[in-house]
């Protein structure tokens, strides 16, 4: 049941964008204009991050770059496994 909600949520979001702005993908233009961001596959973003970090200090490289790459890889592994928290981290309740 949970898997069916994701496409529905995306559809509602795109429908709302269409009725408010007249363009379902208006958010991509706003992201590009205001934040210099564009939609791309994950591997393109990771490669761009890696290339940008080559000129950064060692502290920025570790705190920003490696953390972002690790979170990206964990989220991909979590979405493919379909269960559990990212990278095997499990939180117990009770």
């Amino acid at each position: 049941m949970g898997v069916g909600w994701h496409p529905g949520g995306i559809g509602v979001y795109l429908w709302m964008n269409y009725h408010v702005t007249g363009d379902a993908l208006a958010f991509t233009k706003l992201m590009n204009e205001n934040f210099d961001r564009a939609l791309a596959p994950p591997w393109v973003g990771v490669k761009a991050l890696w290339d940008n970090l080559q000129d950064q200090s060692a502290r920025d490289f570790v705190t920003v770059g490696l953390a972002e790459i690790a979170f990206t890889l964990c989220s991909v592994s979590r979405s493919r496994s379909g269960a559990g928290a990212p990278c095997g981290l499990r939180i117990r309740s009770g």
Side-chain angles (χ1 to χ4, degrees):
M1 179 175 164
V3 176
W5 288 102
H6 295 287
I10 293 169
V12 169
Y13 178 74
L14 294 175
W15 175 80
M16 184 177 61
N17 278 343
Y18 179 76
H19 283 286
V20 170
T21 65
D23 180 11
L25 300 176
F27 69 94
T28 59
K29 295 173 193 161
L30 294 172
M31 282 182 10
N32 194 12
E33 291 171 3
N34 296 318
F35 305 107
D36 196 30
R37 301 273 184 190
L39 292 177
W43 54 87
V44 172
V46 171
K47 183 179 181 327
L49 173 67
W50 185 261
D51 292 342
N52 289 338
L53 285 173
Q54 299 303 314
D55 298 329
Q56 300 297 321
S57 69
R59 182 178 181 174
D60 289 341
F61 179 78
V62 171
T63 58
V64 176
L66 291 181
E68 189 168 341
I69 290 172
F71 290 138
T72 301
L73 294 175
C74 286
S75 67
V76 168
S77 70
R78 179 181 179 201
S79 67
R80 289 181 186 233
S81 70
C87 294
L89 175 68
R90 299 208 183 255
I91 300 171
R92 296 180 132 183
S93 62

